[in-house]
Amino acid sequence: QVHTVESGGGSVQVGGSLRLSCSAGGTISMINAMGWYRLAPGKQRELVAAVNSENNTKYATSVKGRFTISMDNVRKSVDLQMDSLTPEDTAVYYCTAGPPYSYRTENWLSWGQGTQVTVSS
């Protein structure tokens, strides 16, 4: 079994930055991909960014150029650096982890409990 725990959420003003971190536990040898999703009130859950052990990355169009995802494949942890934040980035952010196919299929083994990010103007 795999579990993930997020940290680093909080409140920031427009244009500010936050860094989210996530660590995986359990059978971490299964993990070769990790990602971040977000869920905002009244919106559907969306993939924010994902990365795999080959350092391939993908981003939602809305965050490209502002967010950077990075993964430590030894520690099985993932960070999300978020810059130039806007109110539209306000959401609960969830960390995910899974085997190699998770990067392509978005079928993840584990979801964290979520961390709130609030951007105010």
Side-chain angles (χ1 to χ4, degrees), residues 26-90:
T27 311
I28 62 173
S29 59
M30 301 174 62
I31 298 171
N32 290 97
M34 301 186 78
W36 288 94
Y37 286 73
R38 64 186 180 187
L39 181 61
K43 296 185 178 180
Q44 289 188 331
R45 184 181 67 192
E46 68 168 340
L47 173 67
V48 177
V51 60
N52 65 14
S53 58
E54 298 177 357
N55 212 29
N56 296 312
T57 58
K58 56 183 178 181
Y59 295 90
T61 300
S62 60
V63 307
K64 279 183 181 178
R66 299 188 299 121
F67 290 14
T68 303
I69 189 169
S70 58
M71 178 180 172
D72 184 327
N73 196 42
V74 173
R75 295 175 56 236
K76 306 300 182 184
S77 62
V78 64
D79 291 339
L80 184 68
Q81 177 66 39
M82 305 185 294
D83 299 318
S84 302
L85 286 161
T86 74
E88 289 67 39
D89 296 315
T90 295

Side-chain angles (χ1 to χ4, degrees), residues 103-116:
Y103 179 82
R104 176 177 55 83
T105 66
E106 297 190 33
N107 185 9
W108 304 92
L109 290 180
S110 172
W111 291 81
Q113 79 284 359
T115 185
Q116 178 70 45

Side-chain angles (χ1 to χ4, degrees), residues 6-27:
E6 305 99 338
S7 63
S11 297
V12 66
Q13 292 190 327
V14 169
S17 298
L18 281 174
R19 188 176 185 89
L20 304 182
S21 297
C22 171
S23 294
T27 311

